[in-house]
Amino acid sequence: MALLSDTGVVNVPLLDLVAQYRAIKDEVLPALQAVIESQQFVMGPSVPRLESAIAGLAHAKHGIACASGTDALLLPLQALDLKPGDEVVTTPFTFFATAGAIHNAGGTPVFADVEPGTLNIDPAAVEAVLTPRTRAVMPVHLYGQMAAVERMLPLARARGLRVIEDAAQAIGARRRIDGQWRMAGELGWATGFSFFPSKNLGAWGDGGMMVTSDDALAERLRKLRLHGGAKQYHHDEVGTNSRLDSLQAAVLLAKLPHLASWSARRRDHASYYDKGLSDIPGDLGYKAGRLPQAERACREVLSLPVFPELTQQQLDHVIETIRGFYR
Ligand SMILES: Cc1ncc(COP(=O)(O)O)c(C=O)c1O
């Protein structure tokens, strides 16, 4: 975003990781140096240290680090041993990885609508789409606000379903429930966090963390991330290689003490926008349904590139991509 100010053009990126790097490099670089000196790149001591720190933050018993936020959702879903036709209820208003992980674990994503206030999944809508094939509910916590997990837990308990929290964007988020603050990761059967560099706690590459307070699940997840065997060369089942690099764990441990103050700064900036924009009327008074054809077009129109220099190869690629979507 480029804004004009009295002094000229002000460049406002959506995120400035270089500014963050400059502020903390004196803390992070020695931590990386220590891992390099030790040469313990895979499952070195920084990994279990980060696992306990994140589990502690989430008020959960176990932290199990893995290679990405996507895997932090996929592995708990795999631990459900889904059969073809089994359903997992989630929100359509999320990043692609949520439903993608359900599909890759062998389940069918079923979408429930979101609440207008928070844009997080609506527990009443969840209840409306439950079927005998539902195996789990996967709320996604967005914009720093936790979904109403406490209203999904009784539904899940009554039907023997699991709640898996997608907290990829919500590390450190909390919700007041019955007078008590509950953390993202505290209430679900399992929770996945992402350390993608642009996340609130970002690594210098990909990374993820699962947390759970279920001992048996923690053991299973530790196996699933390591080719099905927690002990070297003993493989009880087919898993995968989804470990967090020791170097990434060291970066995250160095950044973690800053998380609370960074989150507070984000909140301050949001309030500043709220205040600075509070007198702008949002809406022109049009109710949904007043302009039905334009509203329909808004939902359905897909603009295709037609610029004169398009090559036949590009045209074919567009056609193939659209056909692929419908397949
Ligand atoms: C809501 C949500 N779920 C899952 C993911 C996947 O995380 P990762 O990119 O670390 O695989 C992301 C991250 O982009 C996300 O925003």
Side-chain angles (χ1 to χ4, degrees):
M1 187 180 189
L3 298 177
L4 278 180
S5 76
D6 296 338
T7 51
V9 175
V10 179
N11 207 358
V12 186
L14 204 54
L15 187 68
D16 190 348
L17 286 175
V18 174
Q20 187 190 72
Y21 166 70
R22 287 202 186 109
I24 58 164
K25 71 174 181 179
D26 290 343
E27 295 158 54
V28 184
L29 294 179
L32 285 180
Q33 182 80 24
V35 176
I36 294 164
E37 298 285 341
S38 76
Q39 291 288 297
Q40 290 186 294
F41 295 117
V42 177
M43 302 306 271
S46 56
V47 175
R49 275 181 54 214
L50 182 74
E51 290 177 332
S52 10
I54 300 295
L57 176 67
H59 295 178
K61 201 165 159 192
H62 306 277
I64 302 108
C66 60
S68 68
T70 301
D71 279 0
L73 303 176
L74 178 64
L75 300 189
L77 285 161
Q78 284 178 338
L80 288 172
D81 298 313
L82 298 172
K83 308 268 176 311
D86 282 355
E87 297 169 356
V88 177
V89 177
T90 192
T91 164
F93 191 65
T94 179
F95 178 58
F96 191 82
T98 314
I102 296 168
H103 171 85
N104 284 339
T108 302
V110 172
F111 295 115
D113 209 353
V114 296
E115 294 179 321
T118 60
L119 303 183
N120 283 329
I121 196 167
D122 179 351
V126 170
E127 187 166 16
V129 297
L130 296 177
T131 74
R133 298 305 307 263
T134 311
R135 298 285 315 282
V137 180
M138 190 178 252
V140 181
H141 309 312
L142 291 181
Y143 307 118
Q145 299 187 88
M146 276 176 67
V149 184
E150 76 284 4
R151 288 175 54 206
M152 287 167 248
L153 288 174
L155 300 177
R157 256 185 238 118
R159 293 170 175 79
L161 315 176
R162 300 297 194 181
V163 173
I164 301 175
E165 298 174 57
D166 178 343
Q169 298 191 18
I171 193 152
R174 58 185 193 162
R175 181 176 171 86
R176 203 159 173 82
I177 300 169
D178 296 332
Q180 259 186 302
W181 287 108
R182 302 298 198 135
M183 300 301 292
E186 182 171 351
L187 299 174
W189 180 59
T191 297
F193 294 104
S194 165
F195 300 130
F196 185 78
S198 64
K199 294 292 191 278
N200 290 10
L201 182 66
W204 288 359
D206 275 306
M209 180 74 69
M210 302 166 279
V211 299
T212 180
S213 292
D214 180 317
D215 296 342
L217 176 63
E219 198 185 322
R220 182 96 193 270
L221 294 175
R222 279 193 192 100
K223 282 186 191 171
L224 284 172
R225 77 164 169 190
L226 216 56
H227 289 301
K231 228 164 81 186
Q232 210 179 11
Y233 303 128
H234 288 74
H235 305 275
D236 303 328
E237 61 177 313
V238 178
T240 187
N241 174 359
S242 182
R243 294 173 295 223
L244 180 72
D245 279 2
S246 310
L247 286 168
Q248 298 303 345
V251 171
L252 291 161
L253 278 169
K255 282 187 168 194
L256 189 57
H258 297 279
L259 180 63
S261 66
W262 286 339
S263 299
R265 292 275 291 164
R266 284 173 191 271
R267 281 193 294 275
D268 288 348
H269 293 161
S271 319
Y272 193 78
Y273 283 135
D274 276 350
K275 229 189 278 153
L277 300 172
S278 60
D279 56 342
I280 293 182
D283 120 43
L284 294 174
Y286 287 89
K287 295 259 175 304
R290 257 292 295 286
L291 306 164
Q293 297 310 327
E295 289 169 28
R296 188 172 147 224
C298 193
R299 284 194 300 272
E300 294 179 2
V301 166
L302 176 68
S303 301
L304 302 182
V306 289
F307 63 90
E309 296 80 8
L310 272 174
T311 62
Q312 174 153 359
Q313 195 191 19
Q314 290 172 315
L315 289 163
D316 288 339
H317 180 68
V318 172
I319 291 171
E320 230 352 88
T321 305
I322 295 170
R323 296 182 72 84
F325 174 82
Y326 283 102
R327 271 200 297 274

